[in-house]
Amino acid sequence: MQAMPPPAAYHCVKPDAPEAAKAKMAVTVSGDVATMAAFMTEAKKWPDFKVEADALSNGIRFVRMTGSSSTPYRDVGALIYTAQVRQLTVKMNSEPPICGMEEN
């Protein structure tokens, strides 16, 4: 019996592949409405990030922001740090997924 390849969602690209250089970074931040409003006001400092989704569920606001492959790492780090200082939940991933990069 031949093994089936994993579903497309589980395929990742190697870090040195051309596709990885074009990967789009996505940061999802969530927390209470007031804290998220303050965070979103401060997040305007990083215009490379665009709001892709903004939802409210059970009093928790979820915002998904994306940055291009040319977004400087210092901007990605500053955005994440700003969210963490406010004790917001942060998750980051790439599209397409890059092999070896943990999604946290």
Side-chain angles (χ1 to χ4, degrees), residues 1-78:
M1 180 186 257
Q2 187 176 6
M4 297 290 292
Y10 294 103
H11 289 272
C12 59
V13 297
K14 293 183 178 181
D16 56 353
E19 296 86 1
K22 299 175 193 168
K24 182 169 69 170
M25 293 296 153
V27 178
T28 303
V29 182
S30 61
D32 68 84
V33 176
T35 307
M36 284 295 295
F39 167 75
M40 292 304 292
T41 298
E42 196 168 352
K44 291 177 184 176
K45 292 180 188 175
W46 301 284
D48 284 349
F49 285 96
K50 306 293 181 222
V51 175
E52 191 174 270
D54 191 342
L56 184 65
S57 176
N58 297 325
I60 304 294
R61 184 177 176 189
F62 297 85
V63 176
R64 179 179 168 89
M65 304 171 80
T66 56
S68 71
S69 59
S70 63
T71 302
Y73 284 119
R74 71 176 175 276
D75 290 353
V76 176

Side-chain angles (χ1 to χ4, degrees), residues 23-28 52 64-67 76 80 90-98 101-104:
K24 182 169 69 170
M25 293 296 153
V27 178
T28 303
E52 191 174 270
R64 179 179 168 89
M65 304 171 80
T66 56
V76 176
I80 291 170
V90 180
K91 293 186 180 190
M92 184 177 141
N93 61 5
S94 66
E95 297 167 2
I98 298 173
M101 183 176 126
E102 292 189 29
E103 295 186 10
N104 290 325

Side-chain angles (χ1 to χ4, degrees), residues 75-86:
D75 290 353
V76 176
L79 182 77
I80 291 170
Y81 177 77
T82 300
Q84 290 175 333
V85 164
R86 294 181 181 279

